[in-house]
Amino acid sequence: MMLRWNRKRSHFQLAALVLLVFIGFSILYNESTIPRIHDHPDHVSRRQPIPITYIQPNLATNSNKSPGFLDRFVGCNSTKEYSGKKIQWVDPRLKFDRLKKSVGECDVFSGKWVFDNTSYPLYNESDCPYMSDQLACHKHGRSDLRYQYWRWQPHGCNLKRWNVSEMWEKLRGKRLMFVGDSLNRGQWISMVCLLQSVIPADKRSMSPNAELTIFRAEEYNATVEFLWAPLLVDSNSDDPVNHRLSERIMRPDSVLKHSAKWEHADILVFNSYLWWRQGPVKLLWSREENGVCEELDGLGAMEMAMGSWADWVASKVKFSEKRIFFVTMSPTHLWSREWEPGSEGNCFSEKTPIDWEGYWGSGSDLPTMRMVDRVLRKLGSRVTVLNVTQLSEYRKDGHPSIYRKFWETLSPEQLSKPTTYSDCIHWCLPGVPDVWNELLFHSF
């Protein structure tokens, strides 16, 4: 009996051993086929890292084959995948100093909005002859004017009170230039409206709207200017009027077209953000002679543009002669469910700021802010940052929504649903951009 049991057991053990050997060979075979699958051409590009090539920006090209500055008629002859090129803008020989807060220094960008219908607005919409129809909300039917009466109150200190005479003295004999997109243009219009009232009509002038538009005050021999450069670098979107194009093409390695205009200004206020959130961007490198573009996501493309801009700041600016400011991203308020869960609107009909301290909506992109912060930190105190993002996040009530001029004809369907065409990007004037300029004044 015992012997029979042992024989059965030995047969069982032998069968188990054969099964284990078979499984082992199967595993080894399958593993050996894995590299072959991933070595197929369809998979190689997904596994292998893109080689990085560093490009020095802002170099003039003498090539007759490579097209010069871009305009709205330039196109790509073909488009290929991003090659991995990066902007190399930090000169290791330069030692950038760091701007550190002194003990007890107040953070003027952290605070709350306080209703103040005694001190605000700082000017009347109708009294500014340079007001934009895109921002003149009262003129275009907004009856609730509470958006004009909010004052920014930092925690633990006070913002320097706006003084038009003092500001003009700071600008005497100087050129103040705002460079960027339509949000920076709104800040420029705000500054002109804040300043123009004390200048006699026959002693001030405004040049026609162009890529560079100039407000001039004869008495102070000073100008307040705006340069349209939404991507900072050279691009096909640099026409101040005709820039709604099916694809955006930029030179990621050159600000030379714009810097030729801004380099002579004494005080520069830059911004860039909104245009990078509209999908992929085509890259046409300065030394590309065949019109071949590469495609990259907005964040990656913006980082390149910021690098080329930073290269100009680091290598071309005499800091004893210029002041440079960078305005952080201006938030949008496109989804009311972010501040009022369960709702399905946007900024339309909003009448009060958000009182939730630390509120953050999808209109401000944290990865973009971190990237911009890395670039600006490398520049140290050479650039003064105007961090308007958090304070502007609270102002869901400050946008034009439907109360502005629309250049395109609105359909009956749109008119029946105001939220479908509300402008929740730009800002009414007087309003939020005036506070940005108070922060600028405070920072001088």
Side-chain angles (χ1 to χ4, degrees), residues 7 49 58 63 74 90 116 126 135 144 151 168-169 182 235 237-238 243 247 256 334 337 361 369 375 380 414 421 427:
R7 286 178 181 175
N58 302 318
S63 172
V74 170
V90 175
D116 183 351
S126 58
L135 311 175
D144 172 50
R151 171 172 55 83
W168 272 123
E169 288 301 328
S182 58
S235 82
S237 301
D238 292 334
H243 48 250
E247 63 177 13
L256 295 179
L334 303 176
R337 60 177 176 266
M369 289 200 74
V375 173
Q414 286 177 305
Y421 68 96
W427 301 95

Side-chain angles (χ1 to χ4, degrees), residues 2 14 24 26 30 89 108 113-114 129 137 180 203 208 210 227 253 277 282 296 303 376 383 385 413 420:
M2 181 68 68
L14 180 60
S26 297
N30 288 333
W89 65 270
V108 295
W113 290 94
V114 177
C137 300
K203 299 294 183 181
L227 177 64
D253 57 339
R277 291 175 62 85
K282 300 292 179 67
L296 187 60
E303 186 169 10
L376 297 177
V383 176
V385 180
E413 291 77 15
T420 62

Side-chain angles (χ1 to χ4, degrees), residues 49 69 80 101 123 127 179 192 208 264 295 337 383 385 434:
F69 296 139
K80 63 180 182 180
K101 284 186 177 182
Y123 58 89
D127 293 337
V179 181
V192 171
H264 301 296
E295 188 170 271
R337 60 177 176 266
V383 176
V385 180
D434 302 326

Side-chain angles (χ1 to χ4, degrees), residues 335-345 350 354 356 359:
W335 313 103
S336 63
R337 60 177 176 266
E338 294 182 345
W339 61 83
E340 186 181 346
S343 63
E344 291 298 329
E350 295 291 343
I354 296 169
W356 170 9
Y359 167 81

